[in-house]
Amino acid sequence: MSGQDGGDNPLGVASPGQRALFTFLGHALLGPFYSGFAVLAMMILARPLKLDALVPQGLPNAGEAAINTFIWAAIPAALAGLALAAVVWRRGGYPWIAAAAAGGIAFMLAAITMPLPAELALTPLTMLAAVIAIAVRSSLVGGGIIMQQQ
C-alpha cells in the first residue's frame, strides 16, 4: 500500500529522516521551554518552600530569569538534539540514558564556551539538563515520533 504521494511510505509511518528532523526540533524547542519553565517554577516556589538560601543572590526577577534561561538553553538543547537525531536516523529511537548523557554533555560544553555567572552551581544544573533531556525524550516517545527503546 502506497501513500498519497505515490511513494513507498504508507500513511502514518514516518521515515527515518522525518523522525530525525522532529527529534532535533523537539530537543531544540522543548528543551529550552522546559528549562525556562523549571527556572520559573523553582524561583517562584523557593520562598514558600523556604529554599531561599539555594537561590543565588543578584538574579533578576523570575520572569526575566526564565526568559534568559530559554535563550541560553537553545544552544545546548540544539547540540543534544543534533547528536540524538543522528542516532534516531540509524536506529529509530534512543534509550533514556542516551538522552541524559547528551543533555548533560551538551550543557557542559555550552557552559565552557558561554560561561555562566560564577554563583551558579554547575553540577545541579548539569543534572537538571539531563533530566530535561529525558523529559523531551518522553515527550517524543509519547507523541509517537521516536520508538521506545530500553
Side-chain angles (χ1 to χ4, degrees):
M1 179 174 178
S2 295
Q4 288 179 341
D5 62 355
D8 294 332
N9 191 2
L11 292 175
V13 178
S15 71
Q18 290 170 327
R19 290 181 192 277
L21 173 66
F22 282 105
T23 297
F24 170 74
L25 290 175
H27 279 276
L29 298 173
L30 284 176
F33 173 74
Y34 289 162
S35 299
F37 185 77
V39 166
L40 181 68
M42 284 188 261
M43 289 186 70
I44 289 174
L45 293 175
R47 179 167 283 143
L49 296 176
K50 306 222 183 300
L51 299 173
D52 289 338
L54 298 177
V55 177
Q57 297 299 320
L59 288 181
N61 66 29
E64 187 178 344
I67 291 172
N68 290 339
T69 301
F70 179 87
I71 293 168
W72 189 91
I75 292 174
L79 237 108
L82 191 60
L84 293 169
V87 175
V88 168
W89 189 303
R90 304 275 305 177
R91 297 178 53 200
Y94 52 92
W96 68 269
I97 194 74
I105 291 169
F107 174 82
M108 286 310 296
L109 288 173
I112 290 168
T113 58
M114 303 180 307
L116 292 167
E119 61 268 2
L120 294 178
L122 291 182
T123 303
L125 291 177
T126 303
M127 186 193 78
L128 180 62
V131 169
I132 287 171
I134 293 170
V136 171
R137 177 198 174 270
S138 178
S139 298
L140 293 173
V141 169
I145 294 170
I146 62 173
M147 294 183 278
Q148 176 80 26
Q149 292 197 346
Q150 303 300 332

